[in-house]
Amino acid sequence: MKHRFEVLDIFRGLFATLVFAFHLLPFANTPILNNQFVENSDMFVDFFFVLSGFVIAYSYQSLSDGPQLKLFLTKRVYRVYPLHFAMLIAFLGIEVAKNILSPYIQVNNLVNPSNNVFTFFTSLFLVNSTPVPGVRDVSWNIPSWSISAEMIAYVVFGSLLVFIHSSGQFTRRNFYYALVILVSLTGLWFVSNSFQINYSFDYGFLRGILGFFTGVLCFNLFSNTHTFVRTKPSWLFSLGELLTLSLIALAIYYGEAMKPWGAVFEVLFFACIYTFAFEKGIISAGMKRVGLFHKLGQYSYSIYMTHALLVSLFNVLFIRILKFQPEDYAYLVFLNFLLIYIVSAWTYKNIETRFQYKSKKKAVTEEVK
């Protein structure tokens, strides 16, 4: 039976919530949201990449041939694509509705130049994290670029692992993983002449590969050291948890200064995930006692994928129609998130769980996703 890293799952939910807050910024005018920490919380997307690499490396170490690779990628598609597709169709419906209703009501941004037929298909086929000619911005469901980057990382990881096994070089796998990180980082360097990594619609796939393989190395370190390290006293883990979270908070708060050195975030997230994977510190213990945190972790993918649409619709209702002011997001933010939470609970049950990959013999339920 596979182990579930509960605290890491909780972090995914908490950080998905902070990404929601980041995307709420253009509509709000309140210190609760409009502050340096939230304004740089887009960097938490890289935590998702690193964590994904960690848990995928935990679940899949034995991919050694084409059929296994095909099964791995099939499972991954079933995991991420149904909700992505559902949200893309929802955004398409909104665009169609805006055009139909425009003769009868005032519709701002009737034509979003980024939401066109071409970008619809780049999103549909999950290439919206690559530098496609003519695409100059994120489009449709804005967060979906990272799902594209994630899928590309899956393909690279699975293919590389098959090569490593088939060539008898499993003991040297970390060398190849580090090489992929170096190639990705070099590619990003050529783009900006810096270690900046916060790309999305253009070079987000390199950002995703960089974070994913950082997570793979993180798991391999954890796997090789956890028997020895877990015997250390709890206070040492508590200190490590406090230190890594403090450094991450500082890096996010001073994000504008740190983003040109964005690869630092990969190192910090590596350290955080490694430390909290042991779940032996006082912060881990406290987080595990909060039932809501577990739900946020469970619904994290739905929160991440549904929030952009629900933020926009919420803003239309409360700001444009009901004439609330941007300052009112000081409390509307909680109502908006409640809506996202309720919808995410529904999409988790009716889309994520319903479309899980099922083998011919039995349902395959991955305990770590």
Side-chain angles (χ1 to χ4, degrees), residues 176-280:
Y176 289 101
Y177 299 151
L179 184 62
V180 171
I181 290 173
L182 181 61
V183 170
S184 301
L185 200 55
T186 302
L188 291 170
W189 173 270
F190 278 117
V191 172
S192 63
N193 291 321
S194 73
F195 288 111
Q196 176 182 338
I197 63 173
N198 54 312
Y199 292 92
S200 54
F201 68 92
D202 42 11
Y203 297 97
F205 78 103
L206 290 176
R207 178 183 181 180
I209 292 171
L210 171 64
F212 187 93
F213 279 88
T214 299
V216 172
L217 287 183
C218 182
F219 173 76
N220 287 346
L221 176 65
F222 175 80
S223 178
N224 291 331
T225 61
H226 79 278
T227 302
F228 170 72
V229 173
R230 71 181 306 105
T231 62
K232 301 302 179 183
S234 296
W235 69 264
L236 196 60
F237 289 94
S238 297
L239 180 62
E241 290 178 357
L242 178 62
L243 181 61
T244 55
L245 282 187
S246 297
L247 290 174
I248 288 172
L250 285 172
I252 296 294
Y253 186 81
Y254 293 105
E256 287 307 309
M258 294 298 298
K259 283 179 180 178
W261 303 92
V264 171
F265 289 95
E266 308 293 336
V267 176
L268 293 176
F269 293 147
F270 179 110
C272 177
I273 289 170
Y274 178 83
T275 303
F276 279 92
F278 291 96
E279 300 183 351
K280 287 195 64 178

Side-chain angles (χ1 to χ4, degrees), residues 14-269:
L14 293 175
F15 292 161
T17 304
L18 284 170
V19 173
F20 145 71
F22 169 79
H23 285 135
L24 196 55
L25 284 175
F27 309 112
N29 183 18
T30 169
I32 293 177
L33 294 168
N34 303 91
N35 57 70
Q36 284 185 221
F37 186 83
V38 175
E39 287 168 2
N40 295 300
S41 289
D42 56 322
M43 297 307 296
F44 282 120
V45 173
D46 296 282
F47 181 91
F48 304 148
F49 290 138
V50 180
L51 180 56
S52 179
F54 182 95
V55 297
I56 291 296
Y58 168 64
S59 298
Y60 300 95
Q61 288 280 355
S62 59
L63 297 178
S64 58
D65 56 34
Q68 290 182 4
L69 175 61
K70 180 181 178 181
L71 179 61
F72 165 69
L73 294 177
T74 300
K75 289 181 179 181
R76 294 294 90 204
V77 170
Y78 272 84
R79 175 68 184 103
V80 303
Y81 197 81
L83 186 55
H84 162 69
F85 179 75
M87 294 311 301
L88 181 60
I89 296 303
F91 270 92
L92 177 63
I94 293 297
E95 289 293 318
V96 171
K98 285 197 306 186
N99 283 273
I100 291 175
L101 295 174
S102 60
Y104 310 103
I105 62 174
Q106 175 63 36
V107 179
N108 292 343
N109 301 322
L110 177 61
V111 178
N112 184 340
S114 299
N115 292 354
N116 53 55
V117 173
F118 183 59
T119 57
F120 178 85
F121 283 101
T122 61
S123 291
L124 182 67
F125 294 110
L126 285 178
V127 293
N128 51 323
S129 67
T130 62
V132 178
V135 178
R136 295 180 175 83
D137 203 353
V138 287
S139 58
W140 301 97
N141 190 17
I142 292 174
S144 70
W145 71 266
S146 63
I147 309 307
S148 164
E150 186 89 359
M151 280 303 306
I152 293 172
Y154 293 152
V155 172
V156 175
F157 171 76
S159 302
L160 180 59
L161 195 52
V162 169
F163 164 76
I164 289 170
H165 276 287
S166 61
S167 59
Q169 301 188 70
F170 188 71
T171 57
R172 301 185 64 212
R173 65 192 183 282
N174 288 334
F175 166 77
Y176 289 101
Y177 299 151
L179 184 62
V180 171
I181 290 173
L182 181 61
V183 170
S184 301
L185 200 55
T186 302
L188 291 170
W189 173 270
F190 278 117
V191 172
S192 63
N193 291 321
S194 73
F195 288 111
Q196 176 182 338
I197 63 173
N198 54 312
Y199 292 92
S200 54
F201 68 92
D202 42 11
Y203 297 97
F205 78 103
L206 290 176
R207 178 183 181 180
I209 292 171
L210 171 64
F212 187 93
F213 279 88
T214 299
V216 172
L217 287 183
C218 182
F219 173 76
N220 287 346
L221 176 65
F222 175 80
S223 178
N224 291 331
T225 61
H226 79 278
T227 302
F228 170 72
V229 173
R230 71 181 306 105
T231 62
K232 301 302 179 183
S234 296
W235 69 264
L236 196 60
F237 289 94
S238 297
L239 180 62
E241 290 178 357
L242 178 62
L243 181 61
T244 55
L245 282 187
S246 297
L247 290 174
I248 288 172
L250 285 172
I252 296 294
Y253 186 81
Y254 293 105
E256 287 307 309
M258 294 298 298
K259 283 179 180 178
W261 303 92
V264 171
F265 289 95
E266 308 293 336
V267 176
L268 293 176
F269 293 147

